């Protein structure tokens, strides 16, 4: 009994000792962190005039020089951080001058050596800084690191560093292929990383759109959202017929967003595609493209099994003038099931906007729709808008 009690006391003392050691360690880390922060602020003030000097000559004919004397590790860290901050902000000659300063100061060389460190945190920090300094000479070593790593947050850091530093499109392709080989749903993240490159976007996008790997094609399509690249629009036309569902859906969305002149057979093919994403994108675009000849197809799409296709079809019909609105009224009066409910919901939305139109053209268009509505229903609609029709029971979306 006494031996057990003694062991319990020993265990308690050991635990108390470990807790005390942990608290002391935390305090030491906090004190060290505060000291580093104070030292950083002191060095920023010390080199304030130097930073003003460099920034003043970034856009002139004079090439800025490094500060005189040998820099301490802390000074190098502060100056390197400021240069990297400016590299992200500036382009052209200003960025090139900053990159040259980083090389002259030995920052790039030191971080390339740090990639071989036994400490993982030092390797990752070095990779991050090399990407910030656009160190093209570090790309092969960064690729080697990435090929040896399992997927994780560190992989993304290295991938971004490669994207920023690469000077060959093949290096970008290899990095993206490795990123997609982890079999994760990261196409949007890969597209974001792709946009970090300093290579020509149009040329790179064209190459990736023609790549046999559908994953790389999808990354390129996602990266094109928000990017005005007219040169790659012809390539989208070929991808509209791709056998890969995801690729075809993204290509259709981008192709239609470029406001193309669609032929009737193309419209019919898109509206009858077996992928609901394609039908939905086509239905949504037809109203914006004012394709009045597609009204019969949109009317038929009100009966589609997918909620998105039905509602985008109703939205487009509402945008196609009196004829489109009359088609909605006909579907609401004579249709059944989801088609009737979708049409009624869209009509109610349109008629509830009475008095909200400020321009004469909008008022005239509304009054024309009101006449059509009265001809079919004979009474003013209730202003209260209910829930979206057809959501319940249809979970294909």
């Amino acid at each position: 009994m006494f031996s057990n009690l003694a062991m319990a006391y020993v265990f308690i003392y050991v635990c108390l000792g470990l807790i005390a050691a942990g608290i002391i360690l935390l305090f030491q880390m906090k004190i060290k962190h505060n000291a580093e922060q104070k030292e950083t602020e002191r060095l920023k003030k010390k080199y304030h005039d130097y930073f003003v000097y460099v920034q003043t000559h970034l856009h002139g004919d004079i090439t800025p020089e490094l500060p005189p004397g040998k820099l301490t590790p802390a000074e190098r860290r502060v100056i390197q951080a400021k240069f990297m901050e400016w590299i992200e902000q500036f382009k052209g000659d200003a960025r090139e001058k900053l990159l040259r300063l980083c090389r002259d100061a030995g920052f790039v060389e030191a971080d390339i050596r740090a990639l071989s460190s036994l400490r993982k945190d030092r390797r990752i920090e070095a990779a991050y800084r090399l990407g910030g300094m656009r160190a093209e000479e570090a790309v092969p070593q960064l690729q080697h690191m990435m090929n040896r790593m399992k997927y994780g947050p560190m992989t993304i850091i290295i991938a971004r560093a490669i994207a920023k530093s690469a000077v060959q499109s093949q290096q970008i392709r290899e990095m993206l292929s490795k990123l997609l080989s982890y079999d994760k749903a990261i196409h949007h993240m890969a597209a974001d990383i792709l946009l970090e490159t300093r290579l020509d976007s149009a040329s790179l996008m064209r190459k990736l759109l023609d790549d046999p790997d559908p994953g790389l094609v999808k990354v390129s399509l996602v990266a094109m959202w928000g990017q005005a690249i007219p040169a790659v629009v012809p390539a989208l036309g070929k991808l509209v017929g791709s056998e890969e569902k995801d690729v075809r859906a993204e290509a259709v969305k981008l192709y239609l967003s470029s406001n193309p002149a669609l032929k009737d057979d193309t419209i019919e093919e898109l509206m009858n595609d077996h992928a609901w994403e394609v039908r939905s994108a086509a239905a949504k675009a037809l109203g914006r493209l004012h394709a009045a000849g597609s009204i019969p197809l949109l009317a038929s799409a009100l009966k589609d099994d997918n909620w998105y296709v039905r509602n985008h079809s109703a939205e487009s019909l509402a945008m196609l003038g009196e004829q489109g609105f009359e088609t909605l009224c006909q579907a609401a009066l004579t249709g059944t099931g989801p088609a009737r409910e979708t049409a009624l919901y869209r009509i109610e939305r349109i008629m509830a906007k009475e008095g909200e139109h400020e321009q004469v053209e909008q008022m005239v268009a509304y009054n024309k729709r009101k006449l059509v509505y009265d001809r079919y229903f004979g009474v003013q609609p209730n202003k209260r808008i209910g829930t979206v029709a057809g959501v319940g029971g249809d979970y294909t979306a």
Side-chain angles (χ1 to χ4, degrees):
M1 175 178 176
F2 289 105
S3 61
N4 291 339
L5 186 59
M7 289 180 62
Y9 278 124
V10 170
F11 178 76
I12 292 174
Y13 291 142
V14 169
C15 290
L16 290 175
L18 291 175
I19 293 172
I23 293 174
I24 293 171
L25 181 62
L26 287 174
F27 272 110
Q28 287 179 339
M29 292 173 62
K30 181 67 175 177
I31 292 170
K32 182 180 178 182
H33 175 74
N34 290 341
E36 289 178 350
Q37 289 291 102
K38 288 181 181 179
E39 179 67 6
T40 299
E41 293 301 321
R42 186 186 70 81
L43 291 175
K44 284 181 179 179
K45 291 179 181 179
K46 176 182 176 180
Y47 285 97
H48 173 74
D49 292 340
Y50 172 73
F51 292 146
V52 172
Y53 153 76
V54 172
Q55 197 169 16
T56 302
H57 294 94
L58 284 178
H59 302 283
D61 296 332
I62 300 176
T63 301
E65 302 291 338
L66 292 170
K70 186 176 181 180
L71 300 174
T72 66
E75 290 173 332
R76 291 171 63 86
R77 184 175 65 249
V78 169
I79 294 174
Q80 184 179 13
K82 178 58 72 174
F83 285 173
M84 288 173 58
E85 178 185 334
W86 284 340
I87 288 170
E88 296 297 331
Q89 296 175 0
F90 298 126
K91 296 184 182 297
D93 291 339
R95 176 181 283 182
E96 290 303 318
K97 288 181 180 180
L98 290 167
L99 295 178
R100 192 180 306 115
L101 280 173
C102 287
R103 284 178 169 79
D104 292 344
F107 297 152
V108 173
E109 184 181 355
D111 280 325
I112 289 178
R113 288 198 304 268
L115 290 179
S116 303
S117 172
L118 296 177
R119 290 175 51 187
K120 185 176 181 180
D121 58 333
R122 286 195 63 191
R123 296 197 301 270
I124 297 302
E125 289 173 0
Y128 171 78
R129 289 193 295 265
L130 288 167
M133 295 184 293
R134 277 43 174 193
E136 57 193 68
E137 57 267 51
V139 172
Q141 199 166 344
L142 290 170
Q143 288 179 314
H144 180 68
M145 281 181 63
M146 187 173 178
N147 290 335
R148 295 173 55 191
M149 293 182 67
K150 295 182 179 180
Y151 178 76
M154 307 305 179
T155 311
I156 305 303
I157 294 174
I158 296 176
R160 286 191 185 278
I162 294 173
K164 290 180 178 181
S165 305
V167 291
Q168 299 175 13
S169 59
Q170 182 61 25
Q171 293 173 331
I172 299 291
R173 188 193 181 281
E174 290 175 5
M175 177 272 293
L176 291 174
S177 296
K178 179 60 181 177
L179 205 57
L180 296 178
S181 69
Y182 295 111
D183 200 22
K184 305 287 184 181
I186 54 173
H187 291 85
H188 284 77
M189 182 180 294
D192 182 58
I193 293 173
L194 172 61
L195 295 176
E196 298 274 7
T197 183
R198 53 178 170 170
L199 299 176
D200 179 60
S201 298
S203 175
L204 189 56
M205 296 296 180
R206 282 198 300 269
K207 288 182 179 180
L208 291 177
L209 287 175
D210 292 332
D211 199 278
D213 185 348
L216 294 177
V217 175
K218 186 176 180 181
V219 169
S220 179
L221 290 171
V222 174
M224 285 176 62
W225 282 107
Q227 303 291 314
I229 310 178
V232 301
V233 172
L236 294 176
K238 296 186 296 183
L239 293 175
V240 167
S242 172
E243 295 181 359
E244 292 286 336
K245 173 185 170 182
D246 292 341
V247 170
R248 186 170 70 255
E250 292 292 337
V252 167
K253 292 175 186 177
L254 278 169
Y255 181 66
L256 294 175
S257 68
S258 65
N259 296 323
L262 296 175
K263 298 180 181 179
D264 291 342
D265 55 345
T266 303
I267 295 175
E268 185 173 0
E269 182 180 348
L270 294 176
M271 290 296 293
N272 290 304
D273 195 278
H274 62 272
W276 70 264
E277 295 92 342
V278 174
R279 301 197 304 273
S280 174
K284 187 175 183 178
L286 292 177
R288 187 185 69 253
L289 297 174
H290 301 289
S294 62
I295 287 179
L297 286 172
L298 291 171
S300 178
L302 290 174
K303 305 172 185 176
D304 198 279
D305 293 335
N306 185 269
W307 179 87
Y308 281 104
V309 178
R310 293 197 304 269
N311 280 275
H312 285 159
S313 299
E315 288 177 9
S316 289
L317 285 171
M319 298 168 65
L320 295 176
E322 292 178 67
Q323 188 178 358
F325 184 72
E326 187 166 357
T327 301
L328 279 176
C329 291
Q330 291 173 352
L333 196 64
T334 62
T336 58
R340 179 176 182 275
E341 293 175 1
T342 302
L344 281 172
Y345 171 75
R346 184 53 50 186
I347 292 169
E348 189 176 355
R349 292 274 307 222
I350 294 170
M351 300 308 295
K353 294 181 179 180
E354 181 181 9
E356 296 180 8
H357 308 291
E358 298 179 357
Q359 298 182 3
V360 175
E361 294 83 358
Q362 293 176 338
M363 294 175 63
V364 171
Y366 176 82
N367 288 331
K368 289 181 178 179
R369 291 192 181 102
K370 185 174 180 295
L371 290 174
V372 173
Y373 179 89
D374 290 342
R375 188 166 74 246
Y376 276 88
F377 300 99
V379 293
Q380 281 291 333
N382 189 344
K383 301 295 182 186
R384 181 174 174 271
I385 301 177
T387 57
V388 179
V391 176
D394 180 4
Y395 301 100
T396 57

